[in-house]
Amino acid sequence: MLPVDESGAVQGREGYQVMQRCTSAFAALVLLISSGAYPAQTAPNARVLQTMKRATQFMVHKVSRSGGYVWSYLPDFSRRWGEMEARPSMIWIQAPGTSSMGHLFLDAYHATGDAYYYAAAEAVAAALVRGQLPSGGWNYMVDFAGAESLREWYGTIGRNGWRLEEFQHYSDNGTFDDQVTSEAAKFLLRLYVEKHDGRYKPALDKAIAFVLASQYQVGGWPQRYPTGAAGSPAYSAYLTFNDEVTAENIDFLVLCYQVLGDERLLAPIKRGMEFFRASQQAPPQAGWALQYTLDLEPAGARTYEPQALVTDQTARNIGHLIRFHRLTGEPRFLEGIPAALTWLESTRTPPEWNMRKGTHPTFVELGTNKALFVHRTGSNVVNGRYYADYDHQATLAHYSAFRPIDVAALQASYEAARALSPAEAVKDSPLQARQASGFPRYFTAPATLAAADAQSRLQDVLASLNAEGYWPAPLAYTSHPYRGEGARTVAPGDFRSTYVGDESDTSPFPDPAPRLGISTAAYIENMNVLMAVIRAGDASSPPAPPAAGQ
């Protein structure tokens, strides 16, 4: 997970990943076009195409490292960040990094028909293939300087990120956390399907084999695989829902079945779905945890993720069960939802708390049904620690103690699904007739970006591309440069509800005076505005800028 502000809203990577989830094979609002580079009724706007190309050329030729990307860069490239500060030799696989850029380039190729974007996507694929682990998965990042350089990064910058425990120890196995492996694998699937170029089939086959080999018999997946690798925390072997590990792997296998027709994927897909049913707790606490031991007992993970049931994971799992019903037509996927909704109603925050941060606590204690709240003491990874109790005051800034959950909307979705006949439920299911023609053509376009919204933003997007060829974006997060190990003595100050500890803490934190820089998320967002205008066939032509400005 990534930072969540005190209102319960996701920030940074997670905010971007909310947009990414619209690309799911299950999503009903994903934008599709059947064929052709442009809408037939109109020619694309010349300035829009020119702006797209200039921005992409800057990213490809000035920003890319051997085809890969991190998330943000200072304009002089003196510092750069993924989830943490990165070295110049590193690329980040997590969104909005290398895989996201590859998806964007393929989207731009579909929107414009320009082979330049396909070539850019191929460069991303080369970076991903180069960074793919022998097991077939991917780590959070790749260091092209080699394993020793990566180990040194983990032993310095990674080790001192107080709140980023997943980066505190080097491990050479792959991760499903934050869609790292699934998004890279989906991109390779897209690229292979695009032209059936055999160069990408071996890496795709390795990724599929990795997903199949790592699935437990009960249907879920671990956070990292192979399990038990040196440096991997024990919790990474647990059956994992957190950050949509299991849901994303099911999604990837569905997409593979949809376009490749590989019948051997059906059984793992169905086992994955069944794990959602098997792991639901019995009433009166009929919710779900973030992860489970192999005997299906709820388990803790990072030290600020206690053994508990989790309200927002429960809400997401309700949504997944409804989608599984639409994939299979099988009513049993709806059976546990009423009890889950009842449990969510029982966990609402008390009115006397007057909480504007969310309707539900994040964590709920097993057995007692009391809300659990996580706190920390100390000032860095050496002298600090996390702990949980029942006090809702002074909770963490980087991991929200409350979540906004619309139980009424979940109830309505359940009732609508229950009202469908089996035939109605599966009419759009790729598992019933494969329906390869419904494979999403655009993977980064947010479902909420309508053509009218794109047109309203068009002038700003066109005008804000600077002379160097990028859109200057406020870099909302920064970090302390690595200065050495943290002290055992607690530094003066109150670090209970801050994103970062003392100056030895390398965790990113909100920059009080954000600098303008280069952002892959901003590039992807602005490119989607321009592509939406093209796809809508907007015939209006903003005045071209002076030739010297181009």
Side-chain angles (χ1 to χ4, degrees), residues 194-511:
E194 187 69 35
K195 296 183 179 182
H196 291 279
D197 188 330
R199 291 177 297 164
Y200 305 114
K201 191 64 161 52
L204 174 60
D205 287 343
K206 280 179 63 177
I208 294 172
F210 178 78
V211 174
L212 296 180
S214 57
Q215 185 182 27
Y216 287 113
Q217 188 58 40
V218 72
W221 277 268
Q223 187 196 70
R224 299 188 72 101
Y225 187 81
T227 57
S232 290
Y235 70 78
S236 67
Y238 292 160
L239 293 148
T240 303
F241 286 122
N242 194 11
D243 289 320
E244 304 294 67
V245 164
T246 292
E248 278 290 317
N249 284 337
I250 294 171
D251 187 13
F252 170 63
L253 294 179
V254 169
L255 288 174
C256 288
Y257 174 76
Q258 184 177 5
V259 296
L260 302 177
D262 189 340
E263 296 285 338
R264 71 195 172 112
L265 303 182
L266 288 175
I269 289 168
K270 292 176 181 177
R271 285 209 317 274
M273 294 179 189
E274 289 295 337
F275 173 59
F276 283 75
R277 299 181 65 237
S279 56
Q280 185 178 9
Q281 299 299 286
Q285 287 191 295
W288 283 268
L290 292 178
Q291 52 278 313
Y292 292 78
T293 61
L294 299 189
D295 56 1
L296 294 185
E297 291 297 324
R302 292 172 292 190
T303 57
Y304 44 84
E305 292 167 327
Q307 181 188 32
L309 298 182
V310 178
T311 55
D312 63 319
Q313 187 63 62
T314 296
R316 284 194 294 270
N317 284 5
I318 289 170
H320 292 312
L321 287 169
I322 291 171
R323 284 190 283 273
F324 299 159
H325 173 250
R326 292 180 181 273
L327 280 170
T328 65
E330 296 174 3
R332 71 175 184 274
F333 288 111
L334 303 179
E335 290 173 356
I337 293 178
L341 291 170
T342 298
W343 178 70
L344 284 176
E345 284 291 356
S346 76
T347 62
R348 286 185 181 274
T349 54
E352 61 267 23
W353 287 3
N354 191 28
M355 303 306 297
R356 291 179 296 172
K357 303 172 183 178
T359 57
H360 292 70
T362 299
F363 298 111
V364 177
E365 189 172 43
L366 292 162
T368 68
N369 216 42
K370 292 181 179 179
L372 283 177
F373 299 98
V374 183
H375 312 272
R376 71 181 185 183
T377 182
S379 65
N380 61 45
V381 71
V382 174
N383 62 48
R385 70 178 181 89
Y386 289 89
Y387 63 95
D389 61 21
Y390 305 123
D391 183 1
H392 67 269
Q393 305 292 339
T395 55
L396 307 178
H398 67 80
Y399 201 115
S400 180
F402 299 90
R403 306 289 164 144
I405 297 175
D406 190 339
V407 178
L410 291 172
Q411 178 76 43
S413 295
Y414 161 71
E415 296 293 350
R418 193 176 65 159
L420 296 174
S421 69
E424 291 172 326
V426 301
K427 67 182 178 67
D428 296 319
S429 170
L431 297 185
Q432 304 304 309
R434 275 193 54 208
Q435 302 186 21
S437 61
F439 186 69
R441 194 160 170 83
Y442 296 99
F443 268 63
T444 64
T448 54
L449 181 60
D453 296 329
Q455 182 60 38
S456 70
R457 297 177 56 188
L458 177 60
Q459 294 292 344
D460 285 342
V461 171
L462 293 174
S464 59
L465 191 74
N466 67 13
E468 293 183 61
Y470 69 90
W471 284 288
L475 303 184
Y477 284 82
T478 187
S479 64
H480 296 139
Y482 173 68
R483 295 183 172 92
E485 296 295 303
R488 293 188 177 278
T489 302
V490 177
D494 184 354
F495 301 101
R496 291 178 300 170
S497 299
T498 59
Y499 275 81
V500 69
D502 61 35
E503 290 193 353
S504 71
D505 185 358
T506 54
S507 302
F509 59 91
D511 193 334

Side-chain angles (χ1 to χ4, degrees), residues 55-176:
T56 302
Q57 288 172 332
F58 178 84
M59 298 301 287
V60 170
H61 299 292
K62 298 291 182 66
V63 178
S64 168
R65 168 76 184 193
S66 300
Y69 302 82
V70 294
W71 297 358
S72 59
Y73 310 74
L74 291 182
D76 63 359
F77 296 100
S78 59
R79 296 185 75 190
R80 64 195 66 203
W81 294 267
E83 186 167 1
M84 298 185 74
E85 184 167 7
R87 300 262 171 82
S89 57
M90 298 171 74
I91 65 172
W92 227 258
I93 307 302
Q94 288 167 287
T98 300
S99 301
S100 304
M101 292 292 285
H103 282 301
L104 186 280
F105 293 145
L106 276 183
D107 290 355
Y109 174 63
H110 290 161
T112 67
D114 188 337
Y116 179 82
Y117 297 107
Y118 187 81
E122 288 189 300
V124 168
L128 290 175
V129 171
R130 185 177 171 187
Q132 188 176 26
L133 296 168
S135 61
W138 285 265
N139 193 13
Y140 296 100
M141 79 292 284
V142 175
D143 192 335
F144 290 135
E148 286 308 309
S149 176
L150 185 57
R151 285 180 184 275
E152 199 273 337
W153 181 92
Y154 270 98
T156 54
I157 293 173
R159 175 179 171 80
N160 285 280
W162 187 12
R163 65 177 176 80
L164 293 166
E165 296 176 10
E166 61 272 38
F167 294 111
Q168 291 173 6
H169 303 281
Y170 171 83
S171 182
D172 61 357
N173 56 356
T175 184
F176 293 116

